[in-house]
Structure formats: C-alpha cells, structure tokens
Amino acid sequence: MKNTTHEIRQKFLDFFKEKGHSILPGDSLIPKNDSTLLFTNAGMNQFKDFFLGKKQKNYSRIATVQNCLRTGGKHNDLENVGYTERHHTFFEMLGNFSFDDYFKKEAIMYAWELLTSKKWFNLDKNKLWISVYENDIETYKIWKNIIKVPIEKIIKIGDKNNIKYNSDNFWQMGNTGPCGPSTEIFYQFKIDYTQTTQELFNNNNCLLEIWNIVFIEFNRISNTEIIPLAKKSIDTGMGLERIASVLQNVNSNYKIDIFQELIKKISYFSNIENLNNISLKIVADHIRAIFFLISEDITPSNEHRGYILRRIIRRTLRHAYKIGINQNFFYKIIPKLIKLINIPSGILKEKEKIIQKILKKEELQFSQTLNKGLKILNQEVKKISNNIISGKTAFYLYDTFGFPIDLTKDICRERGIKIDLDDYNKYKNEQKKQSNIRKKFYKNYNQDIIINDRSVFCGYKKNRIKSLIKYIFVENKAVSSISENQLGIIFLDKTCFYPESGGQIGDIGKLYFKKTCFLVENTQNFGNMIGHIGKVISGTIKEKSTIYCKIDKIHRNSIQLNHSATHLLHAALQKILGNNALQKGSLVSNTHLRFDFSYTKNINFSQIHKIENVINEEIRNNHLIKTKNLNIEEAKRNKAIALFDHKYNNIVRVVFIKDFSIELCGGTHTNRTGKIGIFKIIGQSNVSSGIKRIEALTGQYAINYLHYQDTLIKDISLILKSNNSDIQEKIKNLILKVKNLEKKADQLQNKENTNQIKKLLKKVDNIKNIKLLTHILHKYDQKSVRIIVDQLKKELKNAIIILINKINNSYTINCGVTKNLTHSITAIDIVNIFIKETQGKGGGKKEIAEGGGMNNAKLPIIVKNIKQWITEKLKNNIF
Ligand code: SER
C-alpha cells in the first residue's frame, strides 16, 4: 500500500516526536514582524530570532509542517511552475529544528533513519545521493564514516564565480538573516551507473533533491558581511509533495494523490484529457496558492503582496482559458476545486465565498483585456525576425492590458521567443519615476498659484478655439516653457474648457499646435484664471505662443446630459416632495449624477417611480434648453430656483427648461431634453439627518444599467427554470418549501439528538466525582453537536464533555466544561491540545470552545492521552 500524502506528513511528525521534538503548528504565510520577507518561504522563517539568539525558545527540538510560498523575493519558482515536475508556488515543507541542541551528526542520522528504516519510509539506500558544501569536511566525514555512504555517491559543491558562500550548498534565508552550509539528500528513481556522479548532478532530471539540512552557523548582515553566530542550530526542509512523489513512486509531484484529484477535476471543466498537460498543472498549482493567499486576507492589487496574488491569478486565468475553460466561468468552478485542497476542517468554509467574489471581479476585469493583449502580442510576434520581443511591447502589454511580465514571458516561452528584459525594465523604471512625479504633482498642484489676471470662458458655445498662452506653471512655479513628458498647468487668455465648479467636473481634452500637444486631464479655477492641468505629450510649449484648445466632446456631452437631468430632478423633487426639497450638494460627472437635498421623511418606491416618470416625460417632450443672463431681480420674478441667501452678482445666468425648471446655473447643458434619452435613479440614501441623496444615470449609462438588470432577471429565471413573469411566485414557493423541509429536518434532528444524548449518557466516565464524556461521532450535523454539548453540560452539571466529529479526512472538536471546573481546566485548553497535535485551528471560551483539523489517524491517541491529562489536572483539586 502506498502512503497517502496525509500519512506521509503524519509519519514525519511522529518520527520526530519519537526523537523528543515538540510538534508546533506552522506559521502564517505572511511572516510576522519580518519586513525582509514577502511570504514565508521556509519552515525556519518563524524561528529567525531564535537562530539569531535574539529570543530564547522554550523547546530546543521542534518539528513543523509549514505552508510556504516561493513567488517573489529571493526564492521565486513561479516561472518554472508547470514546466518542471517539481516546482510549486505554494507547497508544504516538513522541517525539524534544533536550537543549541543536536548538530551535524544527529541531524544527518535522523534524516537517514527516517528515509531508510523499514519502520518509517523504507527507501532503498542505493537510490540516495548526497551533496555537501565543499569546505565542510566534517559533514563529508559523517556521511562517509558514520552513515557509510560510498564516496562516489557524495559530491562536494563549491562556490560559484569564486564568491564566498555563493553555493547551492550554502543556504540563505534572504538577502540578510541566518544562513549556513548545507547538505542535501537526493533520490534517483532509476539507478543508472552509466553516468559519473558529476554528470548525474549536472543533469537536472536524474536526481531529485528531497531533503535540505542546513547547519545554521552565520548571520548575513549585508551583501558583503557575514558573521558567525554564538550558538549553532539545525534547520531542515523537505518538500512534502516531493517526498510524496518518491514514496508513491510517481516521479512527478503532479502525479501524487492530492494533485491528481485536483487535476482530474480541472480537466473535467476543460477540453483536455491528457492529465500531463502543462496548463492543467499550472492551474492546479496556482489554485492552491490563490486559496491560501486570499485566506490570509490578501487581495489582488498593483503592489506588494497584492500584486503577487494578481500575477498568479492572471497566469491561472490565461492557462484556464487556454484549455477551454470558458471566460468569466473560472470563478464559478472555484468552490469545487477548493473542496479538494487540503484545508483543515470546516472553519475556513466562509473563505470560499470571499475567494469566489474576488476571483469574479479579477476575472471580469482581466478577461476583457487578455484577448486584446494577446492579439497585439500575436501581431508583434509575426513582425519580429530575431525571436526577441522588444521591451517596449512587453511594457505596453503590462501598462495598457495589465499583463504581468511573467505572463508575457510565459506566453513567449511557449513560442520559443525571448523578451528584451533590460529594455522592459527601462520602460518600467521610467514609468515608476513618472508616476511618482505625477503623484507629487497632483497632490500639490493648486497650492500657491495666484495670478492677477482673468481668462474668458467661451465653452458654452464653442468646443475648439484659438488662444494665447499667458502663463505656464511647473511645480507651482511660473516658467516660460514646458517640454515633452513634463506635468504642469497652462493658463490661456480664453478657453472652451469648463473648470470644475457648481458640482460639474472639469473638462478634459487637448491644447495643440502643429506637432506640440498638451493633454488636459483636469480643469480648475485659480482665482479668476482657468488652469489646464496635464502633461505635454509631444513638443515644447512656450509662453506667449498661440495654441488651439479643444475639449473632449464625448466627455463633455455626457456631463451635459447629467447636468440638465440634475435640473429636471431638482424641479421634479420640488413638485413631488414639496418646495422644501432644496439642493444641498451635487456632483455632475460624465458617468453619473449625485444630488443631495433637504427632506426629512422617507422616500418610498412609488415616489421614486413618480419622480422618474415626471422627468422622463419632460425628456420625451424634447424641450429646448435656453440660457439667459438676467438681472437678479428679474430672475427672482421668473421664480428661478436659487439659493437666494447666497451672494450672486447683479447679472446672473439662468437656465430655462421651458417653464418646468428655471434655475440659476453657470454650468454647461445640452440644448434639448430629448438628448438625455432616459433618466434612471439607481440609489437613494440618507447623507445626514434631514438630507437625502439620489444617484442617477442618463443616456447610454442608464441603458447599460437596464441591460445589466435585465440579464440578472434572465439569469435568475434560468436558474429557476421559469419565465420572467412567474419568478416571484417560484421564489416564494421555494422559500416555503425550504422552510417546511427545514422544520421537518429540525424535528428529525431533534429526535436523533435526543437518542444520541441518551446513548452518550451511558458512556460517561467518572474521575473522582467529576463526569467526563469523550466520544467520536461520524459526520454528525455540526450545529447539533453544539446543542448536544450544551444539553449534556446542563444534564451532567459537574462535567467535561468532548465531542469529536469526523468528516472525511478532517474532524471538528466541540468541548464544554461546566463553570464550577473552569478554575482548574478550561474548554479552550482541551481544544488547544487537539489542534496543536493536528495543525488545526480553533477558539472559544473557558466553558465552551471548538476547533478542527486534519490527521484523523491521531485522534484515538489524543483521546487516550487527554483522559490521562485531565485526570492529572484534577488530581490535586477538590470539588
Ligand atoms: N531552510 C532550508 C530550505 O528551505 C531548509 O529548511 O531549504
């Protein structure tokens, strides 16, 4: 019988427990208090300070199973994943550690015993090979004289490029930190005497490194400085997936039991039958990494750990699509795949939903650009003659289509093409520099610019005019010219760009003349001057020269629809809700409008519909929208809406939408209401007491929203197998059915619980006068386990109740301790014993606690020991 991966993990721990090691849980994937590491990449990370002698450990011998991620940082395997049979982003590392306790000899002897003894892994000694650090004579002698490995099977590995300690047999955690010479044990699947030791080691595929034993003797302070440590330690690491491939004799990590299950499931959703397919392997590997990263509360982003996650997700998506998993479908299969990942108990169940939500968002975002980017890359591939993609193209794919560089590398690798990485890095660094400058610029741009002058706004009627450049500011200082790539603010004598005011956002567009061009990204008022904020994209622009200014018409049109609709909304609110519904704030952008107004009562759905109806009717009436400059008194006579307690100039601009809406306004508007097309409220909320907020869409944005709603209803109908008209009825019936079923299920469960309690009461032990119940249930309803523990506590009064519920390969534990006993023994203490022994998780209080873990095989022995432990604890107490 082959060992399962779970059994191998357990055997490792059992072996080291027998050798006096404390078994501790692995650390989180995010190293605590260690800014030198992005992710935990080895079992020793959590013990860094103990190796360095900065902290004292309670135990001198430890063994752990550590979740590791080798993506980003010093140890980065991402690019190899899928292409070799061995590399993973995420993997589990088995490790034993000694702190100022045993050293070289024992560490080697333990490793040899575990690997070769019949009782443990029982590997053929002839298939094992050894490497040692060239200068480490002591280790060489241990292998040769004590373990008696033939010298032709021991290879000495020296420093590379004559740099001291730059060797495969000198392990370093990162650019700084504990380090030391190492000895590695290799496995040869098929004995081959035709090659020399050197040849075997040179050929990657011949020998599989299974165990790295590091003799921690030094601390690396910097690139050039390394100092000896006062105390010597042992740090060993054995990849669980690798040793499983050896013990299951499958010659590939991807062929071990846990990966095969996962790969089969993925292949089922794909159009691939060959389970050796690279993309299948990549998806299987990456899913585990994605799961564990999101479980550690990392979300995809453009920097730091979030970017590593994003890179892994994007690489997964490309490979998933490549093997025929439909676009925007991948996130849906996640729950099915997660079930196959080795997760302790049901505690992490809620993460499943979060992962799906995050992946859905990422997938929707990236699948849109993936195809476009691939097309561009294909075109580029056709053009090149030297099999090298330029850094510019790789950067364009990154910058515009969100292709992480390793994704582009991955695609190119499949086609035998390289990327000019130096060139790419040049673009990347330049972008970084620009983006820092930009951030600084936008943070400070309007600080101290005071110009005693006035610009004329011509943008009510014109979209493009010829102007004179009056002032140029760069970094808040007046300059006479601004050149390519510089960010700055340009002031003109007259402009058609509307500066942000009255809730309407500023215009965007360009200032240009012949080959010079300045991209306007925002327009703001600076006193009486209008500032065009942006960047020169070509040429040099000089003060006192002529320039054309041209707004982005599509952007402005969308703003105008929302601005005119805002006036319609304001008037409609006053008609329907009363004259007190007065504007308190507003935002008019190209994408939507937001309107805050005074109103104390709740607004119901039918009022919302009324408001929409009134506005849409005025839209269909296709009124002309006119503006007039009027004397303020005249405006009042026209009943124009305004904040008349505000100070206005004598002459005010009034916007008339027939006599439906007359309002003072400086903003820009469309010329006919019909152009708004459609008005749709999408949100209503309370901003503060007495102030309501309405958010709404117009034009194509409103149509898009309706399409989305439409699709949603259709999807629901499809799920319910009904037509749109009877979905409500169907949902109501379903809810009723579910409620009835739940009621019946509850009744049955209650009966079962009563019977179960009766059975359990017969199994109660007595320790002195205290009742102890320890029992293992099988796939019992988890909610009921909690209820049973509570009832037993009430019934037995003076008792400790431990109920274990086995569910496939995992278990949960629920523990209850009656209050009178909690000063000597607590429920959380008991749960901790279980989870420590099984790398589980849990929590709770003194009287009630629960947890869960894997390694069900260990349960009988823990149960046995726990009885003794409780007896000991209670021995000296009188109750
Ligand atoms: N730290 C070493 C490694 O990761 C041994 O655990 O290989």
Side-chain angles (χ1 to χ4, degrees), residues 41-44 70 93 97 171 209 212-214 235-238:
N41 62 21
M44 55 77 69
R70 290 208 168 167
M93 190 181 261
F97 308 92
W171 199 84
E209 178 209 324
N212 187 14
I213 301 165
V214 185
D235 150 34
T236 88
M238 175 157 62

Side-chain angles (χ1 to χ4, degrees), residues 178-196:
C179 52
S182 73
T183 179
E184 292 177 322
I185 304 175
F186 292 78
Y187 184 78
Q188 189 180 24
F189 277 89
K190 250 198 197 131
I191 298 178
D192 173 6
Y193 291 113
T194 60
Q195 301 191 55
T196 65

Side-chain angles (χ1 to χ4, degrees), residues 204-429:
N204 277 339
N205 298 322
C206 287
L207 298 177
L208 171 66
E209 178 209 324
I210 50 175
W211 205 336
N212 187 14
I213 301 165
V214 185
F215 311 118
I216 302 276
E217 295 179 64
F218 302 101
N219 180 14
R220 183 172 275 289
I221 311 283
S222 69
N223 250 353
T224 48
E225 206 183 344
I226 209 161
I227 53 167
L229 288 165
K231 289 183 178 162
K232 294 177 179 172
S233 306
I234 289 292
D235 150 34
T236 88
M238 175 157 62
L240 174 65
E241 295 77 0
R242 285 192 182 192
I243 187 68
S245 78
V246 169
L247 295 174
Q248 293 175 12
N249 197 21
V250 284
N251 201 8
S252 163
N253 292 12
Y254 291 96
K255 288 194 179 138
I256 65 174
D257 50 355
I258 53 170
F259 263 109
Q260 278 297 290
E261 270 185 83
L262 198 53
I263 288 175
K264 267 188 211 142
K265 196 83 181 185
I266 299 163
S267 79
Y268 167 76
F269 292 103
S270 76
N271 55 19
I272 300 287
E273 279 168 19
N274 172 10
L275 300 186
N276 219 7
N277 177 281
I278 288 176
S279 295
L280 274 179
K281 290 193 252 178
I282 290 177
V283 174
D285 171 90
H286 287 11
I287 281 235
R288 299 194 330 150
I290 292 168
F291 174 81
F292 282 98
L293 284 173
I294 300 181
S295 297
E296 301 264 10
D297 294 328
I298 294 172
T299 47
S301 71
N302 277 340
E303 48 197 22
H304 212 50
R305 297 188 176 107
Y307 190 54
I308 305 255
L309 173 59
R310 174 161 284 165
R311 278 159 56 187
I312 298 177
I313 293 177
R314 293 193 167 178
R315 198 163 184 252
T316 315
L317 288 176
R318 185 182 88 86
H319 283 282
Y321 296 159
K322 207 172 148 210
I323 55 177
I325 294 176
N326 289 341
Q327 293 220 342
N328 302 335
F329 178 72
F330 185 66
Y331 72 90
K332 290 187 186 157
I333 65 176
I334 287 295
K336 295 193 173 64
L337 301 182
I338 286 174
K339 284 202 179 76
L340 299 173
I341 297 171
N342 170 28
I343 304 159
S345 79
I347 287 168
L348 289 173
K349 189 85 182 106
E350 81 273 14
K351 295 283 181 192
E352 200 178 294
K353 284 217 165 64
I354 301 172
I355 295 176
Q356 213 182 359
K357 211 166 129 195
I358 290 177
L359 279 179
K360 180 178 179 182
K361 202 166 148 220
E362 274 296 290
E363 185 170 8
L364 287 176
Q365 203 181 323
F366 186 55
S367 57
Q368 285 167 9
T369 56
L370 177 65
N371 281 340
K372 285 186 204 152
L374 282 176
K375 232 186 227 164
I376 295 208
L377 186 58
N378 285 340
Q379 284 161 2
E380 205 58 32
V381 169
K382 276 187 202 143
K383 275 194 234 154
I384 54 168
S385 54
N386 56 355
N387 268 2
I388 297 178
I389 287 279
S390 69
K392 193 174 177 183
T393 304
F395 181 74
Y396 179 56
L397 288 172
Y398 160 78
D399 198 34
T400 314
F401 300 101
F403 277 41
I405 186 67
D406 34 48
L407 177 66
T408 310
K409 268 195 214 162
D410 196 44
I411 303 167
C412 289
R413 174 183 184 152
E414 286 166 12
R415 300 167 194 196
I417 293 167
K418 289 213 161 80
I419 301 172
D420 184 342
L421 284 177
D422 288 343
D423 197 31
Y424 168 81
N425 285 331
K426 240 173 37 203
Y427 281 96
K428 186 90 198 292
N429 290 338

